[in-house]
Amino acid sequence: MSSVTTPSSSSTPATPATAAQVRARLETLRAHDLPVHGGRTLAYVYDSGVAEADAAGREALAAFGGTNGLDPTAFPSILAMEQELVAVARDLLDGPATTVGVATSGGTESILLAVLAARDGAPAGSPAAAAPSMVLPSTAHAAFHKAAHYFGVRPVVVDVDPVGFRADPEAMTAAIDETTVLVVASAPSYAHGVIDPIPQIAAAAAARGVRCHVDACIGGWVLPFLDETTPAWTFAVDGVTSISLDLHKYGYTPKGASLLLHRTPALRRGHLFATADWPGYAVLNTTTQSTRSGGPIAAAWAVVQVLGRAGYVSLARAAREATLAVAEGVRGIPGLRVVADPDSTLLAIAADRPGDAYRIADAMVARGWFVQPQLPYAETPPTLHLSLSAATAPLVPEFLATLGDVVAQVRSQPPLSVPAGLGGMLAALDVAALADDAVLDALLAAAGLAGDGSGISLPDGMAEVNALLELAPVPVREALLLGVLDRLTRPTSR
Ligand SMILES: *Cc1c(COP(=O)(O)O)cnc(C)c1O
């Protein structure tokens, strides 16, 4: 978790505000946000550093913000731009002529739809239709768990290779059974930044007549532009049936744009939706949205035009070189290590003393750099995640110098510890008890997080909170996170 600051609440103003007042207020609100430009925010945002592309994206976002993709015949511009983006992606991903695709609001929606289409594609009356499951490497993105939760598809989670953190094709093959509707692999995985052995996984899925989705949400707009030989992962691999790739990550477009491509129209049918069974307009939707802003699609289209293939080649190379340079630099910092050799532009960094990772993250924020803490999971210790953007490339020496300082300072302190009582309490907690608001409030108070009333107050630094979460078993972590989310989003917490 990262620290957040919520604004104080205000009711609808009695007198209309002037444009200048609104602008000033928006600027005040944004003062607590991470910067989206400048190359010092190494997760959540992706910065090309190309002012012309940013301007084109902003302009198109504003110009099309009021358009509605609800009905593709009413705003043909949105359909045209969406299909041009799909065609660009099809070429990047070696898609055959039969390839079709849709633009979605983000990687999660692309993944939700891939899972939905796979579930609904199971033959009627089959065990897969009756009790669908999907085979996931343990490193698959959390969005697959969300899809499992939403759509009633049982996740069958398979351990990855504990050294390289890549999916284990033999174990995945063994996990496929008559209920499997989908097998998943990543190019690359978010947490470790490595590409799964997709040819073997896709072949195993195809041999059983099961779909294989490649999650290239974060690598899809980078890997095709690098000339290094990466393991094959596109539609060039037989058996790959769908691929997700996000425009709003390394496409460097404004938020709200991702693509989902299917090898054939038949594979997509499960997430097309139409209904005429009500008295209103004919509903025909390709995604979970109905009213759908044309803004993010137009913005993505505009940025892709401005950057072009040459632009993406140079941005991908810059980000890749920055990643390799940071990995090299980190190997020279005593107390740190690179968890897996990066296959793309993501890095996971671990500290010798596990709790140091959280403190390093806090200290980096204080020095103007955001790196993202990741809690320990299975064989992986707590890590710091870095997504390197092109805009960070020129700052690598400065980043490494700051990181070196921060690590030395953190290592000079005694190790991070949590109050003994709290640790014991968390380990002994019954997750069912956390459904009770009073129990959760008491726990948050004991952790020093109680706010006014039923609210919550997060500290400036999150190291202690992350260290506490780390002690809790996964179901307790989830219950605590839900409790925090619930309290953060109540009006009384503002
Ligand atoms: C970011 C990401 C997602 C989810 O995408 P959102 O746009 O955040 O919804 C899924 N898979 C991978 C590998 C990602 O990096």
Side-chain angles (χ1 to χ4, degrees):
M1 282 176 69
S2 303
S3 189
V4 296
T5 312
T6 48
S8 58
S9 70
S10 53
S11 47
T12 308
T15 43
T18 64
Q21 287 168 329
V22 168
R23 209 170 291 124
R25 178 88 180 109
L26 287 173
E27 257 161 49
T28 312
L29 285 168
R30 259 189 34 160
H32 301 291
D33 290 355
L34 289 170
V36 299
H37 290 294
R40 289 180 168 79
T41 307
L42 303 184
Y44 305 120
V45 304
Y46 303 80
D47 185 5
S48 68
V50 180
E52 199 193 350
D54 290 342
R58 265 198 313 273
E59 228 170 83
L61 189 66
F64 283 78
T67 62
N68 193 344
L70 167 73
D71 177 347
T73 65
F75 293 90
S77 62
I78 303 176
L79 183 63
M81 288 184 285
E82 176 184 29
Q83 290 312 311
E84 278 190 41
L85 287 167
V86 167
V88 171
R90 180 196 61 206
D91 292 349
L92 285 180
L93 301 178
D94 310 308
T98 51
T99 306
V100 291
V102 294
T104 68
S105 61
T108 298
E109 192 183 17
S110 293
I111 287 167
L112 290 175
L113 296 176
V115 173
L116 177 64
R119 186 196 72 176
D120 288 1
S126 67
S133 69
M134 62 180 154
V135 176
L136 305 176
S138 59
T139 49
H141 193 273
F144 291 96
H145 295 280
K146 191 172 186 176
H149 177 66
Y150 277 15
F151 301 136
V153 176
R154 181 172 52 91
V156 176
V157 178
V158 178
D159 288 345
V160 298
D161 152 27
V163 179
F165 299 100
R166 292 187 179 81
D168 172 348
E170 281 84 48
M172 296 219 15
T173 305
I176 300 173
D177 68 18
E178 72 284 356
T179 67
T180 310
V181 296
L182 186 67
V183 176
V184 170
S186 311
S189 59
Y190 185 87
H192 300 88
V194 298
I195 303 176
D196 289 329
I198 287 162
Q200 294 94 309
I201 293 168
R208 298 289 296 265
V210 172
R211 298 182 192 213
C212 175
H213 180 82
V214 173
D215 179 7
C217 279
I218 202 155
W221 224 272
V222 173
L223 297 170
F225 299 111
L226 298 175
D227 40 14
E228 300 164 63
T229 23
T230 46
W233 59 274
T234 63
F235 286 114
V237 177
D238 284 339
V240 170
T241 52
S242 57
I243 302 180
S244 48
L245 71 168
D246 292 350
L247 288 155
H248 66 196
K249 286 179 181 155
Y250 287 99
Y252 295 112
T253 77
K255 294 302 182 208
S258 169
L259 296 169
L260 171 63
L261 271 66
H262 297 275
R263 188 182 280 278
T264 67
L267 291 164
R268 179 175 65 173
R269 271 305 288 275
H271 70 75
L272 301 187
F273 179 80
T275 187
D277 195 13
W278 77 308
Y281 52 85
V283 169
L284 56 169
N285 299 153
T286 53
T287 70
T288 63
Q289 294 185 310
S290 198
T291 283
R292 181 162 74 132
S293 173
I297 293 171
W301 183 88
V303 171
V304 167
Q305 306 305 309
V306 169
L307 289 173
R309 186 174 174 88
Y312 282 115
V313 166
S314 80
L315 292 170
R317 280 192 192 146
R320 173 71 177 156
E321 275 159 26
T323 307
L324 296 176
V326 169
E328 189 56 32
V330 164
R331 290 190 180 101
I333 298 177
L336 289 188
R337 70 191 166 81
V338 172
V339 172
D341 283 337
D343 284 338
S344 184
T345 53
L346 317 182
L347 271 183
I349 300 171
D352 288 351
R353 296 191 313 183
D356 285 359
Y358 310 133
R359 279 193 175 148
I360 293 166
D362 284 351
M364 288 299 282
V365 169
R367 303 276 296 257
W369 288 90
F370 181 82
V371 295
Q372 187 180 48
Q374 301 185 124
L375 292 174
Y377 177 87
E379 275 80 12
T380 318
T383 52
L384 298 170
H385 168 96
L386 278 55
S387 288
L388 282 303
S389 289
T392 305
L395 307 175
V396 167
E398 183 198 326
F399 172 77
L400 287 169
T402 308
L403 184 64
D405 276 3
V406 159
V407 171
Q409 171 219 320
V410 166
R411 274 160 60 88
S412 71
Q413 301 165 18
L416 183 62
S417 65
V418 298
L422 261 181
M425 188 165 147
L426 276 176
L429 256 182
D430 169 15
V431 65
L434 290 175
D436 182 339
D437 264 357
V439 173
L440 201 77
D441 279 334
L443 196 67
L444 292 172
L449 301 175
D452 303 339
S454 62
I456 188 160
S457 146
L458 295 180
D460 286 338
M462 293 302 285
E464 280 75 16
V465 173
N466 284 318
L468 267 182
L469 280 173
E470 175 182 325
L471 289 178
V474 167
V476 174
R477 274 187 207 173
E478 289 174 350
L480 290 171
L481 291 170
L482 282 174
V484 169
L485 181 63
D486 177 24
R487 282 156 182 76
L488 269 178
T489 53
R490 289 181 195 179
T492 49
S493 73
R494 306 210 152 190

